[in-house]
Amino acid sequence: MEPGELLFTDKDGTPSQLQEVIYDGLDRDYSDRYPALLRLMREGAPDRRLYACVMLASWGVPEGMEMLIEWARDPHATPWAGEPVTYDRHFGADAAFEMLADAVRVAGDVEGGSRLAELRLQAIQALLGIYDRVYFARVPALVLELDTEAAGLVADDIGAAVDNAVVASQSAETAFDMPTQAAFLLGPLAVLDDEHAARAAETLLGAHPDRSRTVREVAYALREGKGPATRTVLERLAASPLESVRNEALDSLARRGTL
């Protein structure tokens, strides 16, 4: 099969979007495509290499997850480094690692035994390690919210990723909204370490008090906390002069049962 057929046609030969083929592969056996996809991932054009890796990793194929880990550990050495092959539609930022993180999310539904579980955990750690440098949007937070067992195993990595992202939001110009990306990960952190999440939230709010999108996201994320430290932050946000922030904080407090 040609690369386009491997990636963009289903088992019946019907042209489909990449994600549609991936989801179909969770229900039907596409293993006959694995050898060609592995070659494509290693030898194809940069965009095809990315898409083949996303497909294989999503299906829990170990070699796909291993390539994902390799790229995440050295993002400057990816085939598309310096010349993105996919872009976020809002910011125009390189969206390759958002796609790869989503592959880790999808692979959470695959029965792959202990080897896949270990590789997936390594992938989560590798992605968290570059959270302050590349565009992810909300996907890593979603991965951790859906897999609380994995989140508990990488608690230190989550804390470090949040701290690094908060620092990066103050010191670096990025092609996307780094302050809000930092806030996305406060929810998973708050579940595991209420005080750490509160400290990070306060630092982020202090650095970006007028960035309403970020402040609202902090108010939303801290609903996941259970302790007094994040509750104190929410109570302060509930008195914000901005109606949207007040409403978000009040809703979070209500969901926590503290109103």
Side-chain angles (χ1 to χ4, degrees), residues 5 8-17 20-21 28 33:
E5 294 178 286
F8 304 115
T9 62
D10 65 16
K11 284 187 71 69
D12 303 319
T14 304
S16 304
Q17 297 294 318
E20 293 173 346
V21 180
R28 298 200 286 174
R33 294 193 189 185

Side-chain angles (χ1 to χ4, degrees), residues 81-99:
E83 297 183 26
V85 295
T86 182
Y87 295 86
D88 168 73
R89 63 189 180 90
H90 295 295
F91 300 105
D94 183 348
F97 280 101
E98 180 187 18
M99 292 184 68

Side-chain angles (χ1 to χ4, degrees), residues 91-114:
F91 300 105
D94 183 348
F97 280 101
E98 180 187 18
M99 292 184 68
L100 291 166
D102 195 59
V104 175
R105 176 189 65 81
V106 174
D109 291 329
V110 175
E111 293 292 336
S114 60

